Amino acid sequence: MPLRATHQHMDMTRRPRRLRTDGVRPLVRETELSASDLIAPVFVDATTDERVPIETMPGHERVPVDQAVARVEEVLETGVEAIMVFGIPESKDERGSRAWASDGVVQEAVRHITAETDAYVITDVCLCEYTSHGHCGLLEEGAQDDPVLTVRNDETLDLLGNIAVSHARAGADMVAPSGMIDGMVGAIREALDADGHSEVPIMSYAAKFESAFYGPFRDAADGAPAFGDRRHYQMDPANAREARREVELDVEQGADVLMVKPALPYLDVVAQVREDWDHPVAAYNVSGEYAMLHAAADKGWLQLGDVAYESLLSIKRAGADLVLTYFAEDIADRL
Ligand code: PBG
């Protein structure tokens, strides 16, 4: 019998299917997803006094400062205990000065959230939502006309330090610089320590790529660059070896948690950072990763809960300890 004969060329003592029965699957599972791994982004908006749905990110809203606590309580109810706060200021200027104002939108919201809830509060430290030009730092002279000139690196560092300190003073538990400015982690560490916040950890967006997957977020946070793009500070999506050097610099400067962003299109980078360092690794499952699953599910082409779960599981499997995701509440509810 030819069928049997072929079996003789294989070692049929090894049968991986033995470990796939319902009974044994949970015992041999390598990766678990739990609500305690997830961080939910929250948008606080100083330009509105009611909640505004974010069209490109179904289920998410910008909330006014006086709704921030209620919004965070919704997150906590699902079992997710950590949030990342983004702010939309009432006004913008060249320098992004509302980003470090003690009565700024994030500072006010964080004061309320930390006073009234037990959430672990992380803040985004960047200028792009606060500058009139939408870039992540102070602009070079003539940047509008010359695409090679954009953000003045070293002059921006002081501002990032001011922002981080203002967040820590408001009660932030952790700060997360996302601007991809060289030296930002060291500058923020120094500023925090000098102001008495040596206990506040820094989660650095260490390898942040210049990604088209940020599109929906830029609507949500009103932070799209008014001209040009972020190619001169965010990383080229083609480069993984460069990510090694980027991450190493942040480690040297004292980063406590290392983030890769986006997540799904960069799982190789997540795995590489996991391999190279003992630090906790975070991955940001960004707005575009969220929006595309929603859009396909809307068409009835994908089962939303299943693909969301599988996506987050794969991010953990690649080596992330923490996952920032707009799916946080939905998935926690399901777990
Ligand atoms: C701002 C910032 C961005 C995101 C997080 N912080 C946008 C950007 O760099 O353009 C993107 C988040 C997302 O897409 O979910 N520095």
Side-chain angles (χ1 to χ4, degrees):
M1 284 189 283
L3 203 66
R4 270 207 84 82
T6 60
H7 292 171
Q8 286 163 7
H9 301 289
M10 294 186 256
D11 175 1
M12 291 309 293
T13 60
R14 289 186 289 183
R15 292 177 183 269
R17 288 180 56 183
R18 284 185 198 115
L19 295 181
R20 293 188 194 138
T21 63
D22 284 346
V24 74
R25 274 167 78 98
L27 292 171
V28 299
R29 261 200 130 190
E30 300 174 27
T31 311
E32 295 287 347
L33 194 55
S34 101
S36 60
D37 305 322
L38 305 177
I39 301 166
V42 166
F43 295 94
V44 186
D45 185 345
T47 69
T48 176
D49 22 278
E50 46 189 56
R51 290 176 173 230
V52 183
I54 301 168
E55 206 181 313
T56 51
M57 294 162 61
H60 283 271
E61 297 170 325
R62 302 169 169 203
V63 304
V65 171
D66 64 12
Q67 290 278 312
V69 167
R71 174 73 194 96
V72 172
E73 276 166 354
E74 291 164 12
V75 173
L76 295 174
E77 261 165 44
T78 67
V80 173
E81 292 163 280
I83 57 158
M84 171 78 98
V85 183
F86 291 99
I88 296 104
E90 57 291 329
S91 64
K92 307 189 187 219
D93 59 34
E94 278 284 296
R95 293 167 54 81
S97 56
R98 293 304 296 167
W100 62 87
S102 61
D103 62 348
V105 60
V106 166
Q107 292 79 358
E108 294 284 7
V110 167
R111 243 176 247 120
H112 289 295
I113 295 166
T114 51
E116 295 170 48
T117 78
D118 292 328
Y120 188 80
V121 178
I122 310 171
T123 55
D124 183 67
V125 175
C126 197
L127 282 156
C128 57
E129 289 117 42
Y130 301 86
T131 50
S132 42
H133 45 75
H135 279 287
C136 303
L138 288 176
L139 281 192
E140 297 273 9
E141 290 292 330
Q144 306 250 17
D145 313 310
D146 185 346
V148 178
L149 301 170
T150 48
V151 166
R152 286 154 69 185
N153 195 86
D154 299 12
E155 293 80 354
T156 298
L157 293 176
D158 289 343
L159 305 188
L160 296 178
N162 294 346
I163 300 174
V165 165
S166 72
H167 290 178
R169 286 184 183 173
D173 294 301
M174 182 188 268
V175 294
S178 64
M180 290 301 279
I181 305 300
D182 291 342
M184 67 182 184
V185 173
I188 287 172
R189 184 72 275 157
E190 228 173 79
L192 286 174
D193 291 357
D195 202 62
H197 306 288
S198 56
E199 80 293 352
V200 173
I202 300 174
M203 172 159 70
S204 180
Y205 289 64
K208 176 172 176 180
F209 290 86
E210 202 261 325
S211 172
F213 286 96
Y214 305 150
F217 175 93
R218 291 179 185 174
D219 289 342
D222 192 19
F227 64 90
D229 51 45
R230 304 207 205 283
R231 213 151 30 104
H232 302 291
Y233 38 105
Q234 298 181 349
M235 284 183 60
D236 184 341
N239 294 358
R241 290 192 297 274
E242 186 192 355
R244 277 216 158 93
R245 300 203 297 280
E246 265 289 356
V247 173
E248 181 170 17
L249 288 170
D250 284 9
V251 170
E252 282 168 7
Q253 290 168 41
D256 299 282
V257 180
L258 306 171
M259 194 203 294
V260 175
K261 176 182 177 186
L264 292 177
Y266 298 87
L267 291 184
D268 57 327
V269 180
V270 173
Q272 180 181 291
V273 177
R274 167 76 297 145
E275 185 70 25
D276 290 350
W277 303 100
D278 295 332
H279 296 60
V281 176
Y284 199 140
N285 177 232
V286 301
S287 56
E289 299 174 52
Y290 178 81
M292 65 183 176
L293 297 190
H294 265 278
D298 258 7
K299 289 192 169 259
W301 294 348
L302 289 172
Q303 200 53 53
L304 187 61
D306 294 343
V307 286
Y309 178 80
E310 188 176 329
S311 298
L312 300 188
L313 192 67
S314 74
I315 295 167
K316 286 217 71 189
R317 193 192 61 236
D321 303 293
L322 294 63
V323 185
L324 286 108
T325 177
Y326 304 98
F327 288 117
E329 293 160 85
D330 291 342
I331 290 295
D333 264 340
R334 177 188 158 117
L335 290 171

